[in-house]
Amino acid sequence: MKRLLFACAILSLLSSCASKKRLAEIKALQEARDKAQASLNDCDRRTADLRTQLATRETDIQNKDKQLSDLQNQLDYLKKNNSNLLDRMADLSVVSKAGAESMKKSLETIAGMSSSMQKKDSINLVLVRSLKRSLEDVNDEDVQVEVRGGVVYVSISDKMLFRSGSYDINARAETVLGKVAKVAADHKDLNILVEGHTDIVPISTQYIKDNWDLSVLRATSVVRMLQNKFGISPARLTAGGRGEYAPKADNATASTRQVNRRTEIILTPKLDQFFNLVSTGEEGPATDDK
């Protein structure tokens, strides 16, 4: 009996040792599996990164290929232009002495015209500054001074100059015209064109047939005052009416129609002196008002 119990104890002990060994082996296998899975995941991440880098490199290569193609096209274009320039230089080499002299004179004329235009711009700048300084106490909505098309414009609103539908100059407008006349008198080499402008609202009275009539009559009223009251030579003066046909705004509202109702005093170089300025690069002689 004792022997039997001893044998059972021995078997139980052996069985326990085998079970522990088996558990240890299973644990080792699980750890190895986890390590292998972690390595596999890391490998997948690296593979994805490499694929992204590869795609970026392929895009860069495509861009470089396109840049190379563009540069080659530019090089071909430059080579072609260079060839054309060489051909033109060859043609120029056979230009006659008279032709070369003619080209030189043309360039000198262009340079002279450029210098003359710069002088003209300088004169306009001085003129504009003088007018704005003289009219600085007048509301900008009533009088505007600007350069358009190389000449100086003084635009005066009709509410400053005239009553509605009238061509009789208001007393308060005489001061403004006097200031403009004073500046114009200091620049006797300029002609003075006075243009009347209306809006599109028609007018018809006993003495005024339409907007043409009104614009012309207003211009002549200003011209007469410049001549008779402020002593501007009539040889320098021109009166004209543009009616409603040269608007500054669209006539759609009362405010835009008011902008269009104006009289413009335009200071322009005398034609003979202008052409003399262009041909010689110097200002022509000034003429005195009488």
Side-chain angles (χ1 to χ4, degrees):
M1 185 66 178
K2 289 181 179 180
R3 290 180 178 179
L4 180 61
L5 291 172
F6 180 75
C8 289
I10 293 297
L11 289 173
S12 175
L13 181 61
L14 291 174
S15 175
S16 175
C17 289
S19 177
K20 288 181 179 179
K21 184 178 180 180
R22 180 64 177 168
L23 288 173
E25 290 176 350
I26 291 172
K27 183 178 180 182
L29 289 173
Q30 288 177 340
E31 291 176 351
R33 184 197 63 185
D34 293 341
K35 186 180 293 185
Q37 185 64 47
S39 297
L40 179 61
N41 292 339
D42 184 58
C43 183
D44 288 342
R45 285 194 298 271
R46 292 184 180 181
T47 301
D49 291 341
L50 289 173
R51 286 176 178 172
T52 301
Q53 294 177 17
L54 179 60
T56 302
R57 295 290 186 274
E58 289 177 346
T59 301
D60 290 342
I61 291 172
Q62 291 175 357
N63 291 336
K64 297 298 182 185
D65 288 342
K66 185 177 184 306
Q67 292 177 6
L68 181 61
S69 176
D70 292 341
L71 289 173
Q72 185 61 49
N73 290 335
Q74 293 179 19
L75 180 60
D76 294 341
Y77 176 77
L78 291 173
K79 286 181 177 179
K80 182 178 179 181
N81 276 358
N82 185 53
S83 177
N84 291 337
L85 287 173
L86 290 174
D87 292 340
R88 292 180 183 179
M89 290 179 66
D91 292 339
L92 288 174
S93 66
V94 298
V95 174
S96 66
K97 182 179 180 180
E101 186 65 25
S102 176
M103 291 173 61
K104 179 181 178 182
K105 289 182 178 179
S106 296
L107 291 173
E108 289 175 349
T109 299
I110 292 172
M113 291 179 65
S114 177
S115 176
S116 300
M117 295 306 293
Q118 289 177 357
K119 290 181 181 179
K120 181 171 174 290
D121 290 340
S122 298
I123 294 172
N124 284 343
L125 181 60
V126 171
L127 191 58
V128 168
R129 286 179 176 174
S130 297
L131 286 165
K132 287 189 174 182
R133 185 166 55 248
S134 179
L135 297 167
E136 63 183 358
D137 59 339
V138 181
N139 192 324
D140 290 341
E141 293 182 357
D142 293 328
V143 180
Q144 295 179 349
V145 181
E146 60 183 334
V147 177
R148 299 202 308 265
V151 295
V152 177
Y153 282 71
V154 181
S155 183
I156 308 175
S157 67
D158 73 324
K159 67 177 182 178
M160 164 67 73
L161 286 173
F162 308 103
R163 295 188 306 278
S164 177
S166 171
Y167 52 89
D168 293 326
I169 297 176
N170 292 327
R172 70 190 184 107
E174 293 186 13
T175 302
V176 173
L177 291 178
K179 292 180 178 181
V180 175
K182 185 178 185 304
V183 174
D186 293 335
H187 295 269
K188 297 180 175 62
D189 53 335
L190 299 177
N191 281 329
I192 303 168
L193 170 62
V194 179
E195 285 187 350
H197 296 264
T198 70
D199 58 23
I200 61 172
V201 178
I203 184 173
S204 179
T205 68
Q206 180 180 357
Y207 302 105
I208 303 173
K209 292 183 179 180
D210 51 26
N211 282 331
W212 278 116
D213 264 1
L214 180 60
S215 64
V216 172
L217 289 170
R218 286 181 167 179
T220 53
S221 292
V222 173
V223 163
R224 287 193 184 96
M225 179 164 287
L226 292 176
Q227 175 188 354
N228 299 330
K229 188 174 183 63
F230 301 112
I232 301 296
S233 169
R236 299 175 56 193
L237 296 169
T238 302
R242 302 294 299 276
E244 63 200 62
Y245 301 104
K248 295 182 73 174
D250 58 12
N251 283 298
T253 65
S255 59
T256 55
R257 287 192 294 272
Q258 181 177 321
V259 170
N260 291 332
R261 297 192 301 268
R262 68 200 188 278
T263 298
E264 293 185 332
I265 300 174
I266 308 168
L267 304 172
T268 63
K270 297 180 179 179
L271 289 179
D272 56 343
Q273 294 179 12
F274 176 75
F275 287 121
N276 184 53
L277 185 70
V278 170
S279 62
T280 66
E282 299 179 353
E283 296 183 34
T287 59
D288 294 333
D289 284 337
K290 297 181 179 179

